[in-house]
Amino acid sequence: EVANNLARLSMQALARLGGYLDGDQKTPDNPAVRRSIAAMLTTYLSRQLSKGDPGQVLKILNSNTENPYLIWDNGTRMELTEFLQTQQSEKIRTGECDPSYGADFCFTIHEKELVVGEIYVRVYNEQPTFPLEDAKGFTRKLIDYLGSSAEYLHSLLALSQGTMDTTKESNKLRLQMVEMALEALRNVIRNNPGTEVVCLGHFRLLFALLRLHGAGKLQQLALEVVNSVTTNQDCVNDIADAFVLPYLLLVIQSLPPSRSTVLESLHALLSSTKIVKEALARGALIYLLDLFCNSTHPNIREQTAELFSKMIADKLVGPKIRIILSKFLPGIFMDAMRDSPEAAVHMFEGTHENPELIWNDDAREKVSSVVKKMKDAHYIAQKDNIEASWKLPEDFAVVYTDVEGELTVGGVFLRLFISQPGWVLRKPKEFQVALTERWIELTSKNNPDGEVLETVTTAVVSLFTAQPQLADNAPGLGHIPQVFKPMSSRNTAIPKSALLVVHVLANNDLCVTSMSQTECIRPMMVAMRARPDMVGIACETFFRMFEKDQTDLVKQAIEAELVQYLLKLLDGGLEQVENPAGTKAQIVKSLKAMTRSLEYGEQVQSVLDKSTVWTSYRDQKHDLFISQTTTAGYLTGGPSVAGYLTAGTSAAMPDKPPPMVRDEDMQGE
């Protein structure tokens, strides 16, 4: 009890000698004594003296402890005891003692420890969740330590011609210390939210450590620090202002095992338009394309697809990025990346031939090869000059052999679309607009390419036949008047094309309503005279139009003398029509439909009553003459399911039951 009491009094005496206490026990600060006590009792324990609880300090001194603030065990106790006994005996024997009064004393076990901000970094890395007294202060000290070490490391890198020499013992020890400091910085940021803001203003230092090629572990830890701070938007903005992205891009190539971490970091950073812009200028696209095309890890490729999707979504830079990517990959890949990165990877690895994608082994290998060569060239340039920029040549395009000569509109291959018109398009309305505008462009020319015009016309007809709901969009897009304008063209291929398009649009109520509000009957009559072989199509179109009870159409017909013209055709002039009887049936049905008009029906009827031709047809049943076959090779089957098309033929059902089998027939067998 006496010894314990003496020990407590000794602790109190030390506290007063150093000026640690307040209140009634307060004494002046004594820096010399404080240095001595901090050296012999450790900095952490010397600070505990200020709490005025000597018992707690004595308890720690008599136990074994290892935490980020204190390493204390039997060895340290014995070493301190021996030092004090030696100093005591020397003082008694010679009257002299340590001139620093113990301020220069250092425990052997502590000599090899890295201490930053009074914290043993090795121990902290082993106990990263240990509660720190001042996490932000520790973070600042770590950054200061890294700053003081970075200059040495970069000079070492310069002397070793671009690749760090980690074999020398002196280099090895210094690297280990920096690695420990980086690991501690990562741990303190991860386990103490809010500490990441201390890194503001220091990102050039942290990112520059990524350039220490040859020191793989150091690069990995620096990357993990960067990854940890990207969760904070202020840090992301500061990184954007520092223009340090190239350091991160180089790691994609120089540190393959860390690619997933790089991509995670980029995903967070690319929330900043400024960084997306820098990524485009510094060649991020070519590095990421190489990963998407050539990486052997599916997860890496999916992460890359997600990144592309995020970059394309940027309102300012995204459209330009999409244009550049479309020089390497068909547009459907970018949409797949947005909808499902995993599907985009599977699509890249597969073989496809459908209206929206022609993709095979040759195309894939060609793209992969071109991308790898461009990435390798840019990596070499950027490694030598961190400011190196990347730009795609203006005339650059990867030409896929199997796509050459294919007519493409709105990202759809028309040849394949015509054969599979029910294909479920990704962007049906956009395709409709692009296709119709291409048709309008062609028909507005005097001499368009005949083969192209026929293909585009067939595609238009196929689209509205297989997917009739799309025709609802045509009036609102202003396309209906454009369909009738080219009917007076002197190039006879153009009126034929126009009649075919009107024929399919006339199935739609909204389109017919729009037709009634534009000049349509006269242009059609002009086209019929120019192309007598298309009269059958035109007459069927008239019936479709008039049966929808649009009064204005009947008015146009009367003004254009369509009734007289149709009666004349009934009398003769159908020699070039493929099915004269069917055409006559359509004419009769059209005329009868016009007579049902409440406003103009009587006028039509009066014209018919005066006709001698009409008396021969008015009471006949003409449905049997109308063919159900497709028209002029332009109409195709209806849509299939989910974009996978079949040949859509239907077998005729028998119109009578099968013959009965008699018993004697069975016995005969």
Side-chain angles (χ1 to χ4, degrees):
E1 182 62 34
V2 173
N4 288 339
N5 194 39
L6 283 172
R8 280 192 289 272
L9 289 172
S10 298
M11 284 290 105
Q12 189 172 2
L14 285 173
R16 298 201 69 184
L17 277 171
Y20 287 102
L21 300 175
D22 291 322
D24 297 340
Q25 302 290 316
K26 185 175 176 63
T27 53
D29 284 347
N30 191 326
V33 173
R34 284 193 174 214
R35 282 196 298 272
S36 299
I37 294 174
M40 291 183 286
L41 287 185
T42 73
T43 305
Y44 174 74
L45 286 176
S46 69
R47 281 193 285 107
Q48 303 308 305
L49 293 173
S50 63
K51 295 182 178 179
D53 186 3
Q56 182 63 28
V57 178
L58 289 168
K59 183 178 178 181
I60 295 172
L61 283 172
N62 285 285
S63 60
N64 293 347
T65 302
E66 182 171 287
N67 65 49
Y69 290 104
L70 180 65
I71 300 176
W72 193 262
D73 56 18
N74 294 336
T76 54
R77 266 192 303 275
M78 184 181 295
E79 194 172 353
L80 177 60
T81 303
E82 288 177 357
F83 173 75
L84 293 172
Q85 287 174 347
T86 301
Q87 293 301 313
Q88 189 178 29
S89 60
E90 283 290 317
K91 185 70 175 175
I92 294 171
R93 190 164 55 85
T94 65
E96 296 180 358
C97 65
D98 179 12
S100 71
Y101 300 103
D104 293 336
F105 175 76
C106 182
F107 291 101
T108 307
I109 195 173
H110 295 170
E111 285 178 349
K112 295 181 181 179
E113 293 288 343
L114 173 63
V115 181
V116 177
E118 302 181 6
I119 289 179
Y120 297 99
V121 175
R122 174 189 62 82
V123 181
Y124 176 68
N125 287 334
E126 292 173 358
Q127 305 173 27
T129 58
F130 188 89
L132 300 176
E133 294 175 1
D134 182 11
K136 286 188 176 181
F138 180 44
T139 307
R140 272 189 288 272
K141 294 288 185 182
L142 286 170
I143 291 174
D144 291 343
Y145 175 80
L146 290 170
S148 64
S149 302
E151 189 175 345
Y152 167 79
L153 294 173
H154 284 294
S155 61
L156 198 64
L157 181 67
L159 289 171
S160 57
Q161 298 180 336
T163 303
M164 184 76 73
D165 183 2
T166 57
T167 56
K168 290 183 181 178
E169 198 62 35
S170 59
N171 296 352
K172 198 172 182 181
L173 184 61
R174 192 68 177 264
L175 275 173
Q176 285 175 349
M177 294 294 185
V178 175
E179 287 167 2
M180 287 169 63
L182 279 169
E183 185 178 356
L185 183 58
R186 178 203 67 191
N187 290 335
V188 73
I189 291 171
R190 286 183 178 177
N191 294 291
N192 298 272
T195 53
E196 62 273 7
V197 296
V198 178
C199 297
L200 294 173
H202 300 286
F203 287 117
R204 290 198 73 84
L205 162 67
L206 295 174
F207 274 78
L209 294 173
L210 295 172
R211 202 179 180 186
L212 297 173
H213 303 298
K217 185 178 179 183
L218 187 149
Q219 286 179 293
Q220 170 68 30
L221 289 166
L223 178 61
E224 289 175 5
V225 170
V226 170
N227 183 251
S228 299
V229 301
T230 55
T231 56
N232 183 288
Q233 192 58 44
D234 290 334
C235 290
V236 171
N237 295 337
D238 199 49
I239 291 170
D241 293 335
F243 296 102
V244 289
L245 194 65
Y247 295 106
L248 190 59
L249 298 179
L250 286 172
V251 179
I252 294 176
Q253 180 70 8
S254 64
L255 208 62
S258 300
R259 283 173 178 166
S260 183
T261 308
V262 175
L263 296 176
E264 280 179 24
S265 304
L266 282 171
H267 195 275
L269 292 172
L270 290 170
S271 60
S272 164
T273 295
K274 196 170 184 178
I275 293 180
V276 176
K277 193 173 181 180
E278 186 185 4
L280 177 60
R282 299 303 183 192
L285 289 187
I286 199 66
Y287 286 115
L288 296 177
L289 268 171
D290 181 58
L291 291 182
F292 182 76
C293 297
N294 296 310
S295 175
T296 55
H297 299 284
N299 289 341
I300 295 293
R301 299 173 76 179
E302 288 172 23
Q303 278 183 282
T304 307
E306 283 183 44
L307 273 181
F308 279 139
S309 176
K310 187 165 189 177
M311 294 174 80
I312 291 169
D314 185 88
K315 292 180 180 178
L316 187 65
V317 193
K320 188 173 183 180
I321 290 172
R322 187 183 182 96
I323 290 170
I324 292 173
L325 288 178
S326 66
K327 297 286 184 76
F328 294 94
L329 298 168
I332 190 172
F333 280 102
M334 276 66 92
D335 293 323
M337 289 171 184
R338 177 197 62 211
D339 299 334
S340 169
E342 184 181 0
V345 174
H346 286 304
M347 187 185 295
F348 183 85
E349 287 301 318
T351 299
H352 311 274
E353 183 167 307
N354 63 57
E356 293 183 296
L357 181 63
I358 296 177
W359 188 254
N360 51 36
D361 292 344
D362 290 339
R364 182 167 49 253
E365 288 169 12
K366 188 165 187 177
V367 171
S368 301
S369 174
V370 169
V371 166
K372 187 177 186 306
K373 287 178 183 176
M374 294 185 77
K375 181 268 299 179
D376 289 342
H378 181 60
Y379 174 70
I380 292 169
Q382 198 165 55
K383 191 177 178 183
D384 293 339
N385 175 19
I386 199 68
E387 299 295 328
S389 59
W390 179 81
K391 190 177 181 182
L392 202 61
E394 292 292 336
D395 58 346
F396 175 84
V398 179
V399 181
Y400 319 118
T401 307
D402 290 345
V403 180
E404 290 182 63
E406 288 282 352
L407 181 57
T408 310
V409 175
V412 176
F413 298 102
L414 297 192
R415 174 182 63 83
L416 294 171
F417 177 73
I418 290 166
S419 65
Q420 305 175 38
W423 180 264
V424 179
L425 298 162
R426 292 174 298 125
K427 300 177 179 178
K429 187 173 180 180
E430 285 84 343
F431 173 59
Q432 175 190 349
V433 172
L435 183 62
T436 309
E437 289 181 353
R438 182 66 182 276
W439 181 86
I440 291 169
E441 177 193 338
L442 286 168
T443 54
S444 63
K445 296 178 181 178
N446 291 328
N447 292 298
D449 184 303
E451 188 176 343
V452 173
L453 176 61
E454 184 175 348
T455 302
V456 172
T457 303
T458 307
V460 172
V461 174
S462 299
L463 177 67
F464 292 128
T465 303
Q467 303 184 42
Q469 72 281 1
L470 291 176
D472 290 346
N473 302 321
L477 294 168
H479 290 158
I480 298 301
Q482 300 292 328
V483 174
F484 293 96
K485 281 184 180 179
M487 287 189 173
S488 58
S489 173
R490 294 181 180 179
N491 184 330
T492 56
I494 293 175
K496 175 184 177 181
S497 172
L499 286 170
L500 288 166
V501 172
V502 173
H503 178 265
V504 71
L505 291 176
N507 277 321
N508 183 276
D509 290 354
L510 294 177
C511 289
V512 172
T513 301
S514 180
M515 290 175 191
S516 70
Q517 296 163 8
T518 189
E519 182 70 25
C520 62
I521 301 297
R522 289 184 191 277
M524 286 185 67
M525 292 170 65
V526 172
M528 291 165 72
R529 291 187 177 102
R531 290 299 300 256
D533 57 321
M534 297 301 295
V535 167
I537 293 288
C539 291
E540 186 174 358
T541 305
F542 282 139
F543 172 66
R544 292 178 179 180
M545 292 163 68
F546 293 130
E547 73 170 344
K548 293 179 174 60
D549 296 327
Q550 291 294 331
T551 300
D552 289 339
L553 281 177
V554 182
K555 181 183 178 183
Q556 281 192 47
I558 292 171
E559 292 173 351
E561 298 185 350
L562 176 64
V563 178
Q564 292 88 333
Y565 176 65
L566 292 179
L567 288 171
K568 186 177 178 182
L569 288 176
L570 278 178
D571 195 31
L574 300 176
E575 294 79 11
Q576 296 185 42
V577 176
E578 186 177 337
N579 181 9
T583 301
K584 288 181 179 181
Q586 296 292 1
I587 292 173
V588 172
K589 290 173 70 176
S590 300
L591 291 169
K592 287 183 176 180
M594 281 191 273
T595 63
R596 289 194 288 270
S597 170
L598 296 176
E599 190 171 346
Y600 299 102
E602 290 183 4
Q603 292 184 44
V604 175
Q605 189 63 54
S606 66
V607 175
L608 294 177
D609 291 342
K610 295 174 185 177
S611 169
T612 55
V613 178
W614 180 244
T615 55
S616 305
Y617 292 93
R618 64 185 177 191
D619 298 322
Q620 291 185 19
K621 185 73 172 174
H622 293 277
D623 291 347
L624 297 176
F625 295 98
I626 299 175
S627 172
Q628 297 296 326
T629 58
T630 57
T631 306
Y634 284 96
L635 304 186
T636 51
S640 185
V641 178
Y644 294 94
L645 306 181
T646 54
T649 56
S650 58
M653 293 294 291
D655 57 1
K656 58 182 180 179
M660 295 180 63
V661 180
R662 294 175 299 178
D663 292 342
E664 52 268 29
D665 292 338
M666 295 291 289
Q667 292 169 4
E669 291 181 1

